Structure formats: structure tokens, C-alpha cells
Amino acid sequence: MPLRILAACLIAVPLRAAERDVHSFATPDDVRVRHVDLDITTDFDARQIRGTATLGVELRVAGKPLVLDTRGLTVDAVEASTDGTAFAKAPFELGKPDPILGQALTIQLPKAARAVRIKYATGPNATALQWLSPAQTAGKKHPLLFTQSEAIDARSWVPLQDTPGVRITYTAHVRTPKDLLAVMSARNDPDQKRTGDYRFEMTQPIPSYLMALCVGDLEFRRLGPRTGVYAEPAVVDKAAREFSDLEEFLKACEKLYGPYRWGRYDVLVMPPSFPFGGMENPRLTFASPTTIAGDKSLVSVLAHELAHSWSGNLVSNATWRDFWLNEGFTVYLERRILEAVYGKARADAEAVLGRRSLERELAELPKPDQVLHIDLKGRSPDAGLTDVPYEKGALFLKHLEAVYGRERFDEFLKGYFAHFAFQSITTDQFAKYLEEHLLQGDPEKAAKANVREWLNGPGLPPDAPNPTAPALTKVEDQAKAFAAGTVKAADLPGKTWSAHGWVHFLTSVPPDLGKDKLAALDAAFGVTKSGNSEVLFQWLLLAVRNGYEPAHDRLEQFLTEQGRRKFLQPLYQELVKTPAGKERALAIYKKARPTYHPASVETVDGIVGWKEAK
Ligand code: BES
Ligand code: ZN
């Protein structure tokens, strides 16, 4: 082959092929989806979304098919167009179902194809969707539908290249029952009237896991010029009070890391079955009502989801191996926001709780899963959902801050967000940028930064930051004294502790404290009646471990009235450790299961052995 032609061939191949996403069938280096127009109906009777998705495609290698991700979708027809207006039938094939990935949808394209239209409907077990009956909502009158696409569930309600390495803009035309409001991770009009016919536009390119929709009896309250809150009427005013600092959070984050680039920032308070604390759907964070404690003690979740507008949504992980780029950065930013708005003591307290939680988890995790740049081949991205990407990731950034100084590091982060804005990047791309913009030129500091070890080593390096908070150190001493029997429950200053103080106390006493001591605490402070979800969660864990029966009813109530996976998973795990506990777990789960989101069902099914028990 003449050298000139050989060179041309080499150039046609991307110089450094982006790392393959093992959680997608898509082949975006051949054909890449750039835009999606959704035209869908939400059918609450059939519990089905159906309609069309029209994908704008870019052909990168001639003659290659378009490969999409789907899970449980029925595909009725596929058409392609070379001019964007005239469509003709295109041959397609649904591949063999994979238990983790779903099914590839392979579409043969005409030469010069520009758009592909897929007529489809969701399946009965769409993993992203939860259809709530009126009884499962706060108002009890209207049904509600919401989606949860992260990590790889967008494919269960839209056929697309479901990999965070591919970014799309989108529009949506959504038909709903007339008396319900639809909102999306897109431009939402705060003055939107209920019509049953809604149009949305997302003009910034986002990864598919950030596509989101909620349809329900929702009301809106303004918080600041750019911020507001949606929720069911029964919840919306309480939510507005709890989240009244949102505009301040936004300003604090902008001041540190550059302009907010998404227009409005609103929060949607979900029904209690929402499986996560929060989800950073762009322009419209979805938040669990368990974040409303009445005293703003749990609003760190809001700071977290807002921070994702920079770390995660502006600069996204390219594959789920790189998840720590989303979450570790975001936990770091979250605490910088808390520090700016509420002061250093608050941020430090949260950092202490974070590190303690990480240490407890590291003690149980196999070494390969203690690594930031985790290997997830053959496993669901859920396997990487531990404190490691979150808290170890945040500690790594705190460590870099300590080595280079806050001023220099802030400047670096601001530059990082600007440089990679609206891109999806791998851990290697981050490491290269870090090398070029922070490490280079000072080998001594670079050695201290110890990047390889942080990214690829298990556990924590010995010089990892170890945050302290004086108020919590005191609580820890009191926990020890109480456990040792030198201080009685009634003499503890529990009434002066913050929610963080209580969480720290309950995680600092020995797990086998004994039911007498639990009874004494309960008598002095009424912990079983706590309305703070994080405090109650730690308390119920202790109650199960120690067979403290007076908390049984409250446990059942907690497990049936909310569906946040972070709370369900450890409680069910603790319950099934004894035969009697397992029986109770199954009895409770039998009632609760129909109210949980598919993401939580999948997790709890495995813990209680649901399939075997049936
Ligand atoms: N993006 C995550 C939620 C998520 C991660 C959903 C992976 C599905 C797969 C969100 O930003 C998050 O981290 N939520 C946390 C709260 C946060 C304060 C740590 C949660 O839900 O607990
Ligand atoms: Zn997050």
C-alpha cells in the first residue's frame, strides 16, 4: 500500500479510541446519535409509555449499522431518512436479551442517513419507571409517574445509545392525563398550566442517564430568581421552607467554579418511594422527601445534586468505571458549598461522617472494589455504588487541595470544568489533564500527590486527609463513656446534639450495645420517634442488631413508608441475619414490595431471597 494511502487509513481511525463502555451495545465510533426528538404518551391505565423517538445520527464509518440499547421495549417500526423529513422503512433486529444490558437494537441505515425514527412501547417491567397509584402519593387523589435513568435504565423507556460517553440534545412532546403536570430534565416553564400536552427542549448536550420525566399532581413555588421547587400540593410549602437556601447554594458554587450554565435550577420533591436521596437531572433535581427533616439538617443532598451541575452534568464520566469523576468531585464540591453557606464546622462534620462511613465500608469490601478506577466488567454499574467513588474520591481531591493549597486547587478545578465543559471523560483523560495543569514542574509535590496510588490502589494512603470536627470528637468520647457504663443515658447532652451529632453517636457506640442501653437512650431522648431519616436509620440498625423490640413497629413503618435504597438495603441485610429476623423481613417486604421502585425491588429481592421464598 502506498504510504500516502496508509497514512490516510490511520487517520480515519480515532487516534486514541475512547475506552469502551462495557455497559452498552452502542458503537458510537461508527454511528453517533446527536439529538433525540421524543413524541410520547404516558398511558396510566396500561402503565405504558409509547410513541416515537426520532434520532439525529452522524455517520462516522460508512456502511455501519446503528446499534442502540433497549430493555424490555417493543419495537413496532423503524424508519430512516436522508433529509430529515421523508422517512422509509429500515431493516432492524432485536438481539438476544442480556440480564444486565438488555437487548441491542441493530438498524441497517441507508447511505447518508440523517435521522432514524423508532416507534416503540415500554414493557411491563421497565426498570426506569415507577407508576404510582393515587394511594401511593401524598395527596391520594392522582397517580404519578417518574423515571430514574441512571445508571443504565434510560434504555428501558427510550431506545438510544445508553452510554454516558454519548451526549445528546433533546426535545419532547409528552401527552398526559389533562389534570396532571409533566416536568422534565429540560427547560420547564414555572407558569406552565395543566393541559395534558407538554413540550420540552434540552439545548445543552447531555448523556442519556440524565433524561428524566415526572408526571403528577405537582405544584411550583419560587425560591429565588433562578430557583424553585415542585412537589405535590401537600408537601410543596414544607419543601420550600426546607430548601430556602437553594439560591445561596447556587451563587456559592458559581463563585467557586464558574457560571451555572443551565438556565433555571429547580428541585422536584418525589414521592417517598424514590429510590435515591437525590438525582441530578439537569435543571431539575429529583429529591427524596426523606431529605426534609424540618431543620435543614439534610440539605447536603441538595448541595450535592446542585454541585453535579458542574461535576457530572457539565463534565461527565465517560463510562461507569469513571463514576468517581462524577461522585467524588461532587462530594468535594458539596462540602465547599456547605462551608460557604453554613460555615466550616458544618462542612467538617459532614466530612467526618463521610470518612467514618467509608472506613466501615472498606473493612468489608474486596480489595479490587476499593479502587477509584474500578473494574466493572461483567457486573452491573450498581456494583460500583459504594462509598469508594463518593468519599474516597472526595478525600483524593481534599488531598490535592492540601498539597497544592486551596487557591491553586480552586483555580485548577475552575479550569477543569471550563476545559471539559459538555464533554464526557475517562479517568485517564482526567489524569493527563491533572498532570499538565497541576502536577507538572514540581516533582516533589507530584510525589506527595501520589496520583497512581489514589486512582488504582485499594484502601486509603496513610497520608489521606483525616477530617476532624470538635463537636463530633466530644460526641465520640460520650459514646465511649456511655458504652463503658461510666455515663448514664439521662446524663448525656443528647438534647444539644445536632442530627449529625446523633448519627455520629449512634455509629460510634459498639454495634452490640445491648437492648438495655438502647431502652435507656429511648427513655431519655425518644429516639424511636425521631423524624430525621438519617438518625432514625442508624437507630433502627442498632435496634435490629440488638433485638430491641420496642422499635419493631417503627422499623416496619420506616420500611413501608419510604423506599430509599440506601436505607432499605442495610436494614434488610441486618434483619435476615437471624431466622426470626428473616421471617419479619419477608413479612414486611411482602407488604412493601409493591410500593418500592424497581431499583429497590431488585436489591431487596436478592437480600431476602424473594424468588426462593415465593
Ligand atoms: N447520581 C447519584 C444517584 C445515583 C447514582 C443513581 C448511581 C443511580 C446510580 C446522586 O447524585 C447521589 O449521589 N445521591 C445520593 C445522595 C448524595 C448526597 C450522596 C443518594 O441518593 O444517596
Ligand atoms: Zn451524586
Side-chain angles (χ1 to χ4, degrees), residues 426-502:
T426 60
T427 299
D428 288 348
Q429 279 171 284
F430 161 76
K432 182 161 176 280
Y433 185 86
L434 181 71
E435 170 64 35
E436 288 167 0
H437 292 84
L438 196 64
L439 307 191
Q440 228 166 45
D442 191 337
E444 219 172 288
K445 280 197 173 148
K448 267 200 209 138
N450 198 9
V451 174
R452 291 284 142 230
E453 165 86 14
W454 272 100
L455 292 180
N456 302 308
L460 285 175
D463 63 343
N466 197 359
T468 56
L472 295 188
T473 310
K474 251 196 248 163
V475 167
E476 220 171 294
D477 294 340
Q478 285 150 347
K480 278 190 201 122
F482 174 65
T486 50
V487 173
K488 287 208 166 49
D491 296 328
L492 287 168
K495 297 225 161 65
T496 68
W497 293 339
S498 64
H500 300 103
W502 268 102

Side-chain angles (χ1 to χ4, degrees), residues 280 304-305 308 327 330 390:
E280 67 270 28
H304 178 97
E305 305 313 334
H308 272 306
E327 298 301 344
T330 298
Y390 287 83

Side-chain angles (χ1 to χ4, degrees), residues 355 358-359 362 370 391-392 395-396 453-454 457-465:
R355 166 136 188 176
L358 173 64
E359 284 168 0
L362 286 175
Q370 301 179 4
E391 296 294 343
K392 183 177 175 181
L395 284 177
F396 175 35
E453 165 86 14
W454 272 100
L460 285 175
D463 63 343

Side-chain angles (χ1 to χ4, degrees), residues 182-446:
V183 288
M184 289 192 84
S185 56
R187 192 187 306 128
N188 293 288
D189 174 5
D191 299 316
Q192 176 70 51
K193 297 277 169 295
R194 298 183 189 201
T195 59
D197 190 290
Y198 303 97
R199 289 181 192 264
F200 300 93
E201 189 171 16
M202 172 44 95
T203 48
Q204 291 98 335
I206 56 162
S208 55
Y209 76 86
L210 294 176
M211 290 194 78
L213 167 70
C214 179
V215 179
D217 180 19
L218 303 174
E219 272 185 20
F220 178 78
R221 294 283 183 276
R222 270 177 209 282
L223 294 172
R226 285 178 293 175
T227 49
V229 55
Y230 292 89
E232 284 195 70
V235 188
V236 71
D237 289 311
K238 200 166 55 147
R241 257 176 275 132
E242 195 80 3
F243 302 152
S244 63
D245 297 325
L246 212 53
E247 191 85 24
E248 294 307 310
F249 288 5
L250 183 52
K251 283 194 243 164
C253 206
E254 280 189 309
K255 201 166 154 208
L256 287 166
Y257 305 115
Y260 178 74
R261 308 201 29 185
W262 306 87
R264 291 193 56 80
Y265 180 74
D266 297 317
V267 172
L268 167 63
V269 178
M270 305 302 287
S273 66
F274 190 61
F276 297 99
M279 177 63 213
E280 67 270 28
N281 298 130
R283 300 187 194 203
L284 184 65
T285 277
F286 286 16
S288 162
T290 62
T291 60
I292 302 177
D295 61 359
K296 299 188 180 179
S297 58
L298 304 179
V299 295
S300 56
V301 175
L302 275 293
H304 178 97
E305 305 313 334
L306 169 69
H308 272 306
S309 306
W310 286 260
S311 46
N313 299 3
L314 199 53
V315 183
S316 313
N317 50 213
T319 78
W320 299 110
R321 289 193 74 177
D322 310 305
F323 186 54
W324 79 274
L325 287 176
N326 276 15
E327 298 301 344
F329 274 66
T330 298
V331 170
Y332 176 85
L333 264 60
E334 162 199 339
R335 294 191 183 136
R336 293 298 303 274
I337 295 172
L338 293 177
E339 178 174 335
V341 177
Y342 298 130
K344 192 166 178 309
R346 171 75 179 263
D348 287 350
E350 305 235 358
V352 168
L353 297 185
R355 166 136 188 176
R356 291 294 175 281
S357 172
L358 173 64
E359 284 168 0
R360 286 194 298 274
E361 183 144 38
L362 286 175
E364 315 246 301
L365 273 181
K367 283 237 155 62
D369 291 348
Q370 301 179 4
V371 169
L372 285 180
H373 196 210
I374 188 176
D375 184 2
L376 290 169
K377 229 178 284 129
R379 295 189 286 172
S380 151
D382 273 4
L385 254 187
T386 68
D387 277 335
V388 171
Y390 287 83
E391 296 294 343
K392 183 177 175 181
L395 284 177
F396 175 35
L397 298 196
K398 229 172 142 76
H399 173 68
L400 291 174
E401 181 198 314
V403 174
Y404 289 94
R406 184 169 265 198
E407 206 178 319
R408 177 92 202 277
F409 190 59
D410 282 355
E411 202 184 305
F412 165 80
L413 281 181
K414 198 170 178 175
Y416 166 83
F417 293 129
H419 182 83
F420 290 114
F422 299 110
Q423 294 183 45
S424 304
I425 67 167
T426 60
T427 299
D428 288 348
Q429 279 171 284
F430 161 76
K432 182 161 176 280
Y433 185 86
L434 181 71
E435 170 64 35
E436 288 167 0
H437 292 84
L438 196 64
L439 307 191
Q440 228 166 45
D442 191 337
E444 219 172 288
K445 280 197 173 148

